[in-house]
Amino acid sequence: MPFKGWIMLFLSASLVTGCASEADKKKETHTNHQQNESNKSETKNQTEKQTYTDSSQASDDTNLTEINKKVEDQDGSITLKKYAKVNKQLKSDSIALTIDEVKVLHYAPSVDLIDFFHGYTKQDEFPYVRVNVKIENKGKKSVHFNPIAQIETDQGETVTWKEDFYLEELNGEIKPGEEKMGSLGFILNKTNVENLKTITITSSEVVDDQEKTISNPLILTVDL
């Protein structure tokens, strides 16, 4: 083959190789874009699907919204007595606290759980309040916050954060941009839940790392 023919063949091969390489790059970029979009969509779906879980100390009431409806499982039996879908957001400095829903339930725990609850009450069956909350730190610094410092019924009974038996560790430090979601449970020993009309929820103050108060407690009264 003449020298000129070899040059033309080489140039043709280079052109084909170059086109193939460019096509591969476009394909890879398109694939990466699809993967990124898929990851974003998956993260979004996971966030949307995030929900409140049942406690290891109590029967599963996550789907219980009908008054006087009862469910039973290995942890005992539970009956819904009062229910409020609140979905109200309160703000205190950098903290956004959402009270999602409040339930008042009558609980008869299984035999193996009774000893655990004797640390909170002398009764073998009892009513308790479950509050589902979301917390977000919208600021640029870490702060310390307790979503529920106490609850008070309209019959004068007050229960503090120390009596929370859900133990989901929602109290304490919350970092910038961090979100927490979970439940707190408080046994009522002196309240007649059949006549219960309102519960007042009070958060802690928002404090910084030096324990300096940044903002006052949030307060919300929930009608049941």
Side-chain angles (χ1 to χ4, degrees):
M1 179 183 291
F3 181 69
K4 183 178 179 180
W6 282 109
I7 293 176
M8 294 300 294
L9 181 62
F10 175 76
L11 290 175
S12 298
S14 298
L15 182 61
V16 171
T17 303
C19 290
S21 177
E22 187 65 26
D24 288 341
K25 287 181 180 179
K26 288 182 178 180
K27 183 178 180 181
E28 181 179 356
T29 300
H30 180 67
T31 300
N32 289 338
H33 177 72
Q34 285 183 320
Q35 289 177 341
N36 289 336
E37 290 299 316
S38 176
N39 290 338
K40 288 180 181 178
S41 177
E42 183 178 350
T43 300
K44 182 179 179 182
N45 289 337
Q46 287 175 345
T47 301
E48 290 175 348
K49 289 178 181 177
Q50 188 179 17
T51 186
Y52 302 98
T53 59
D54 63 311
S55 169
S56 58
Q57 282 80 244
S59 298
D60 185 2
D61 68 281
T62 50
N63 296 316
L64 198 57
T65 58
E66 183 180 340
I67 300 300
N68 291 324
K69 185 75 173 181
K70 181 179 180 180
V71 295
E72 296 184 51
D73 59 21
Q74 70 277 7
D75 293 325
S77 65
I78 202 162
T79 304
L80 182 65
K81 306 305 293 183
K82 303 283 182 176
Y83 176 71
K85 182 62 177 177
V86 184
N87 194 27
K88 184 174 180 62
Q89 186 179 87
L90 309 173
K91 294 183 179 179
S92 183
D93 192 69
S94 61
I95 289 293
L97 168 64
T98 299
I99 306 297
D100 191 7
E101 62 181 2
V102 175
K103 293 181 177 181
V104 180
L105 306 123
H106 182 86
Y107 184 30
S110 59
V111 175
D112 59 310
L113 284 171
I114 289 178
D115 283 344
F116 168 81
F117 283 108
H118 278 171
Y120 298 87
T121 181
K122 296 178 180 179
Q123 305 173 69
D124 291 341
E125 294 186 20
F126 47 83
Y128 77 89
V129 180
R130 173 177 178 166
V131 185
N132 293 339
V133 302
K134 299 174 187 175
I135 319 163
E136 182 179 1
N137 183 357
K138 295 179 177 291
K140 297 181 179 180
K141 295 182 179 180
S142 293
V143 295
H144 296 262
F145 181 70
N146 184 337
I148 301 181
Q150 70 171 41
I151 64 166
E152 182 178 2
T153 72
D154 57 8
Q155 297 172 30
E157 182 174 5
T158 299
V159 187
T160 72
W161 62 274
K162 295 179 180 180
E163 304 303 314
D164 167 40
F165 70 83
Y166 265 62
L167 307 175
E168 293 187 7
E169 299 182 356
L170 297 173
N171 307 329
E173 182 182 25
I174 179 165
K175 298 177 182 177
E178 183 180 5
E179 295 181 13
K180 295 182 181 181
M181 179 177 179
S183 305
L184 301 98
F186 303 93
I187 294 174
L188 300 176
N189 286 303
K190 301 176 182 178
T191 298
N192 182 331
V193 297
E194 298 294 340
N195 298 327
L196 183 61
K197 302 298 182 184
T198 64
I199 286 177
T200 299
I201 297 169
T202 304
S203 77
S204 71
E205 300 171 328
V206 179
V207 300
D208 61 18
D209 287 336
Q210 284 71 47
E211 298 184 0
K212 180 182 177 181
T213 299
I214 299 173
S215 59
N216 294 326
L218 297 165
I219 302 174
L220 178 67
T221 296
V222 177
D223 294 323
L224 298 167

